[in-house]
Amino acid sequence: MSVAHVVAAAHGSLVASIPSPSQGVWHLGFVPIRAYAFAILAGIVVAVLVCRARWVERGGNADDVLEIALWAVPFGIVGGRLYHVITTPEPYWGKDGNPAKALYIWDGGLGIWGAIALGAVGAWIGCRRLKVSYPAFADALAPGLLFAQAIGRLGNYFNQELFGRPTDVPWGLEIDPAHRPLGYEQYATFQPTFLYELLWNTAGGLFLIWLDRRFKLGHGRVFWLYVMIYTTGRVWIEALRIDDAEHILGLRLNIWTSILVWVGALVAFIVVGRRHQGREKTVELAAKEPEHTDAA
């Protein structure tokens, strides 16, 4: 056997793929245990723990985080589902659609834009009730949000959904025939977009923590950096996906949304940086002092 044959055989033995889970739901008696729900819950727990540690570093009360989360999480889930249903209406309101499935959150489908928007409203309510700085809380939460989103993508992995175009790279994701979109039935492996976003968001969260400690950022600037990091990744990852989506001028709606939000976040970061240097001296608000709205 020639050297070329040996090299080819060795290369072939290294080529592999990522297998998809055989199931995403287990039953404990009559109670379904869903991997997607566990991924969302695990992400929330991690975000709360990271935020709690960072909030205390900023001089906040650790108990504040859980109380604010009790407002932000339900608002975020409702907002995420609303965004998904509105921007992906076909499974619910289109031909052969089932409107009742709009309530089936456990089957997947939470739009990050709606989750962040309404979740921010919930967090604002919590901060106002506790009389603490909303921008400071957003800064404390930002890295944890990226970690939560990274963990949440494991739910897509178990559901075998939101993967990318067909590929033959060694890390291609195996998709069962039942989960392959129309027109792609002949392909076995696809781009593992869940993995790309998991790695991107994890690295982004760690980068944010380093930046914040290095430059003592405050007044909402960490949050705006979070938005820019997430949307940058979302643009190129979204471009790989082949699931049904609304398109505008040939691009998926979420790509346009990411671009517009990125620009808005950049403007907000610059404006806040010019108005406020460094970090807040305290996260507590005076009883009658109105809070500025730089991170609103």
Side-chain angles (χ1 to χ4, degrees), residues 269-286:
F269 180 82
I270 294 173
V271 170
V272 173
R274 289 178 176 177
R275 292 180 59 184
H276 304 283
Q277 298 296 320
R279 187 179 291 174
E280 299 90 342
K281 294 181 180 179
T282 177
V283 298
E284 302 290 337
L285 296 180

Side-chain angles (χ1 to χ4, degrees), residues 87-285:
T87 58
T88 313
E90 195 66 26
Y92 314 104
W93 319 111
K95 184 180 179 180
D96 300 325
N98 182 359
K101 287 187 176 181
L103 302 175
Y104 299 172
I105 295 177
W106 50 86
D107 285 341
L110 291 175
I112 184 61
W113 313 116
I116 293 298
L118 270 192
V121 173
W124 178 82
I125 294 173
C127 288
R128 296 297 293 183
R129 288 171 60 87
L130 294 173
K131 293 183 173 58
V132 296
S133 170
Y134 180 50
F137 183 81
D139 284 342
L141 176 62
L145 281 177
L146 281 171
F147 296 146
Q149 290 168 247
I151 296 170
R153 283 306 180 189
L154 291 173
N156 302 136
Y157 170 59
F158 276 91
N159 282 356
Q160 296 194 48
E161 61 183 2
L162 307 185
F163 43 84
R165 65 175 72 103
T167 183
D168 57 0
V169 296
W171 56 88
L173 177 65
E174 298 174 13
I175 297 296
D176 295 337
H179 295 280
R180 296 172 193 169
L182 292 177
Y184 294 91
E185 298 89 345
Q186 70 272 33
Y187 299 102
T189 55
F190 297 79
Q191 291 282 1
T193 50
F194 87 92
L195 180 61
Y196 299 155
E197 190 161 336
L198 186 156
L199 295 174
W200 179 272
N201 289 344
T202 300
L206 295 173
F207 182 58
L208 269 186
I209 291 174
W210 176 81
L211 274 179
D212 190 27
R213 290 178 176 174
R214 174 69 177 80
F215 297 103
K216 302 296 181 183
L217 301 173
H219 302 280
R221 285 186 293 168
V222 182
F223 179 81
W224 293 122
L225 282 173
Y226 146 74
V227 173
M228 286 189 282
I229 289 172
Y230 176 73
T231 51
T232 299
R234 187 62 185 265
V235 165
W236 68 268
I237 294 171
E238 186 77 18
L240 295 174
R241 284 169 46 174
I242 56 174
D243 52 293
D244 291 335
E246 297 295 319
H247 285 72
I248 300 175
L249 299 178
L251 292 179
R252 294 166 67 96
L253 175 60
N254 279 331
I255 292 180
W256 285 112
T257 305
S258 296
I259 293 171
L260 293 175
V261 172
W262 187 92
V263 172
L266 176 63
V267 172
F269 180 82
I270 294 173
V271 170
V272 173
R274 289 178 176 177
R275 292 180 59 184
H276 304 283
Q277 298 296 320
R279 187 179 291 174
E280 299 90 342
K281 294 181 180 179
T282 177
V283 298
E284 302 290 337
L285 296 180

Side-chain angles (χ1 to χ4, degrees), residues 42-55:
I44 291 172
V45 169
V46 169
V48 168
L49 292 176
V50 172
C51 181
R52 181 186 174 104
R54 288 173 50 79
W55 185 241

Side-chain angles (χ1 to χ4, degrees), residues 34-86:
R34 302 178 185 275
Y36 186 89
F38 265 102
I40 297 297
L41 290 173
I44 291 172
V45 169
V46 169
V48 168
L49 292 176
V50 172
C51 181
R52 181 186 174 104
R54 288 173 50 79
W55 185 241
V56 170
E57 286 179 0
R58 280 171 152 72
N61 186 328
D63 294 335
D64 291 348
V65 175
L66 184 58
E67 186 166 343
I68 296 172
L70 292 176
W71 286 94
V73 172
F75 273 69
I77 292 175
V78 172
R81 190 58 176 177
L82 284 174
Y83 183 90
H84 168 75
V85 171
I86 292 171

